[in-house]
Amino acid sequence: MNEIIEIGEPTELTFTQRWNTYLSLALAGLILFLGLSMRDNALNATIEFEDLEAGVRVQVPTSWLLTSGAADYVVRAEDPNALPFKTLLQVSVLPVGPDATPNNVLDVLNIQRSERLATYHEISRTDETLRDGSAAKRLTYAYTEFERNPFLQSLPLVVKGVDVVVLRGSQAVIITYREESSAFDDHLYRFENLLGTVQIF
């Protein structure tokens, strides 16, 4: 037996119903905005790291793996969730002679890296001024990283990096950022944030 359903004219929403709809949409938008803000704040949260012996104070990401006191760096922070390459932020201090310049330091770094990093090459070298007015040099470079474990063979990974070198008396302070090349520009703001918090004393 066929039933006939009559569909009448749609009834208009009342004034109260319309306002309830608008308020619901506004509330949903507000909740979304607050959620994204809290997420961004959590991702960009930092803690202060200080090494009195090296004379370095810097803000590093809270949730990253932090190591310090190694022979070749003061502090290193790596993003444990970044794949296939763990985003790296690092501050190093090297002794230099009285006539050293930031360019001399970068030349030494280029020589050392070309010996141990496959296809290492310099991309650019520019002048930099730190927040405290100190003159520095910025070096951008790239190299290829290979998986050394034969059971985990994968395609070679192109890594892009940047160093900023500033001299302090008989020391050269080197602030470093390295990232897989396709994500380098997207995460460069982390390096700029780090650079803006570095204090050398």
Side-chain angles (χ1 to χ4, degrees):
M1 184 174 179
N2 295 331
E3 293 185 3
I4 298 174
I5 300 174
E6 293 185 4
I7 300 176
E9 291 290 326
T11 58
E12 289 191 10
L13 295 175
T14 65
F15 177 81
T16 303
Q17 289 172 326
R18 281 200 301 272
W19 270 105
N20 285 341
T21 302
Y22 299 149
L23 288 173
S24 298
L25 292 173
L27 183 60
L30 179 62
I31 291 172
L32 180 62
F33 173 77
L34 290 175
L36 291 174
S37 297
M38 291 173 64
R39 175 182 174 274
D40 288 342
N41 289 338
L43 289 175
N44 295 318
T46 60
I47 58 171
E48 184 177 278
F49 172 87
E50 181 179 71
D51 187 313
L52 295 176
E53 185 177 342
V56 172
R57 184 183 298 118
V58 66
Q59 296 284 336
V60 294
T62 302
S63 59
W64 288 23
L65 298 175
L66 188 67
T67 53
S68 61
D72 57 342
Y73 59 83
V74 175
V75 60
R76 173 181 287 176
E78 295 177 288
D79 183 358
N81 299 316
L83 293 172
F85 182 85
K86 288 180 171 49
T87 310
L88 177 141
L89 297 171
Q90 179 176 289
V91 179
S92 307
V93 175
L94 298 177
V96 294
D99 299 323
T101 67
N103 271 324
N104 297 147
V105 176
L106 292 178
D107 290 339
V108 171
L109 290 177
N110 277 340
I111 293 170
Q112 292 175 344
R113 290 169 177 167
S114 62
E115 294 173 350
R116 60 187 176 82
L117 298 176
T119 69
Y120 175 86
H121 64 281
E122 179 178 325
I123 297 173
S124 66
R125 193 180 296 203
T126 58
D127 292 325
E128 180 90 11
T129 302
L130 299 187
R131 180 173 288 182
D132 65 1
S134 301
K137 279 285 184 180
R138 178 183 287 231
L139 170 73
T140 304
Y141 55 91
Y143 63 93
T144 306
E145 189 167 278
F146 297 90
E147 177 55 61
R148 292 177 174 81
N149 187 334
F151 299 103
L152 299 174
Q153 285 186 350
S154 60
L155 292 174
L157 188 67
V158 177
V159 177
K160 195 171 176 183
V162 60
D163 292 323
V164 169
V165 175
V166 60
L167 299 184
R168 278 289 188 277
S170 61
Q171 293 182 323
V173 180
I174 306 163
I175 303 104
T176 300
Y177 161 62
R178 290 181 185 169
E179 177 61 283
E180 192 270 321
S181 60
S182 66
F184 180 85
D185 291 334
D186 292 338
H187 298 156
L188 184 61
Y189 75 94
R190 293 192 179 278
F191 175 69
E192 302 298 349
N193 290 346
L194 176 80
L195 200 58
T197 67
V198 171
Q199 297 177 42
I200 306 163
F201 50 88

